[in-house]
Amino acid sequence: MPRLKLTLEYEGTRYVGWQVQPNGPSIQSVLESGLERLLGTRVSVASAGRTDAGVHASGQVACFDAPRVLPLKAYVLGLNGLLPPDVAVVDAVEVAEDFDPRRWSRGKRYRYRVSNRRTRSPLRRMTHWEVFAPLDVEAMRRAATHLVGRHDYSAFRASDCQAKHAVRELRGLSVEGTSGDAVSFVVEGTAFLKHMVRNLAGTLVEVGKGRRPEAWVAEVLASRDRKRAGPTAPPQGLVLEEVFYGEGPPARTPGGTADVEEDEG
């Protein structure tokens, strides 16, 4: 049976998240239902990581073993005709039979979007965190430099995070945009803790509002204390933009992607 890798885009507002849950529709459930209609049999789909309720994606990765051979375009054009309008397949490729979308990942890039104009935005309300106050972009850029590198990010993990340890590596954290309009935090790393990106965003916004000095971010990181960091930013501002892969699975190193058990969202 061929193993297929799908790249997905979705607007997560009406979903309970990626994973199948009893309390509402999930991205996994609608994808598996579409595949069942396309293939005539039920298949199980694995993803590169879980996204939470209300979180979006432009580059989520999922894979499954197909029970029969179909042209790749059937998994894009054909499957998209069976999926709801807020979920789409943007690419489909055949991969090695041992490909694992989570364990083979070399890293991910997330974008967190904030609308910081003084008035509400009907067009941004489902895709941005609206803070209704201009943010100091330069101050947030300087503060973000303290967070890049290999650190213990315990101060930025959710209280119910089940990861064995909080050591992760952020390759980059850039602040893009304009004070008084829209700002994005673009975060790239090897792996992420539960709610890590949203907690980083909430902390940097405290600096952007002038409530905290730039050096406070370094103090929070060193404290390893979640209570000292900023609030968890709401889910609608978060987008999983891309999952990175190399040739074969990565080496199993402490804090690397191979042993990550949690993910942002």
Side-chain angles (χ1 to χ4, degrees):
M1 297 188 295
R3 177 161 290 192
L4 277 301
K5 169 176 169 270
L6 305 179
T7 302
L8 304 170
E9 179 177 321
Y10 50 83
E11 199 270 286
T13 302
R14 72 181 187 94
Y15 296 96
V16 295
W18 163 265
Q19 196 169 7
V20 173
Q21 298 178 50
N23 59 324
S26 69
I27 305 297
Q28 182 183 11
S29 65
V30 299
L31 178 61
E32 289 181 346
S33 295
L35 285 167
E36 182 175 15
R37 293 176 64 190
L38 179 71
L39 297 167
T41 187
R42 193 74 177 172
V43 297
S44 179
V45 175
S47 74
R50 292 166 290 190
T51 53
D52 207 350
V55 174
H56 317 299
S58 58
Q60 173 70 285
V61 172
C63 84
F64 66 98
D65 293 320
R68 58 193 178 93
V69 176
L70 291 177
L72 290 176
K73 66 180 181 181
Y75 295 105
V76 181
L77 301 178
L79 183 54
N80 280 343
L82 302 172
L83 292 173
D86 48 9
V87 180
V89 178
V90 297
D91 189 40
V93 296
E94 188 170 341
V95 290
E97 62 180 16
D98 58 343
F99 173 79
D100 184 302
R102 181 173 68 90
R103 296 192 177 277
W104 282 39
S105 168
R106 267 19 184 222
K108 296 172 185 171
R109 183 177 67 246
Y110 287 92
R111 180 180 296 269
Y112 192 91
R113 299 178 292 196
V114 181
S115 178
N116 70 128
R117 73 187 198 187
R118 294 188 182 277
T119 59
R120 63 185 181 87
S121 171
L123 295 179
R124 294 178 180 174
R125 64 190 182 92
M126 296 300 186
T127 58
H128 291 65
W129 176 18
E130 296 186 280
V131 300
F132 306 116
L135 299 175
D136 187 334
V137 175
E138 291 303 319
M140 292 190 295
R141 283 179 180 147
R142 291 189 293 267
T145 62
H146 297 294
L147 299 167
V148 178
R150 186 177 177 82
H151 303 287
D152 184 317
Y153 290 95
S154 293
F156 302 99
R157 70 190 296 182
S159 60
D160 61 345
C161 177
Q162 299 298 309
K164 294 178 182 178
H165 59 81
V167 176
R168 297 291 185 266
E169 181 179 353
L170 286 190
R171 299 170 183 154
L173 201 176
S174 61
V175 183
E176 303 175 354
T178 306
S179 178
D181 186 16
V183 172
S184 290
F185 304 114
V186 183
V187 189
E188 184 176 320
T190 54
F192 294 88
L193 302 161
K194 186 176 182 181
H195 292 177
M196 180 174 164
V197 175
R198 290 164 58 189
N199 291 334
L200 291 170
T203 299
L204 289 172
V205 165
E206 290 291 288
V207 175
K209 289 180 175 179
R211 293 177 176 174
R212 297 284 189 168
E214 298 161 23
W216 167 73
V217 171
E219 296 170 4
V220 170
L221 178 66
S223 75
R224 303 181 183 180
D225 183 356
R226 175 69 189 95
K227 295 179 181 179
R228 295 190 61 182
T232 302
Q236 71 269 18
L238 186 63
V239 181
L240 170 57
E241 285 197 330
E242 187 171 356
V243 184
F244 303 104
Y245 293 97
E247 295 296 328
R252 299 181 66 87
T253 57
T257 56
D259 62 349
V260 66
E261 297 179 357
E262 288 289 331
D263 197 13
E264 169 54 33

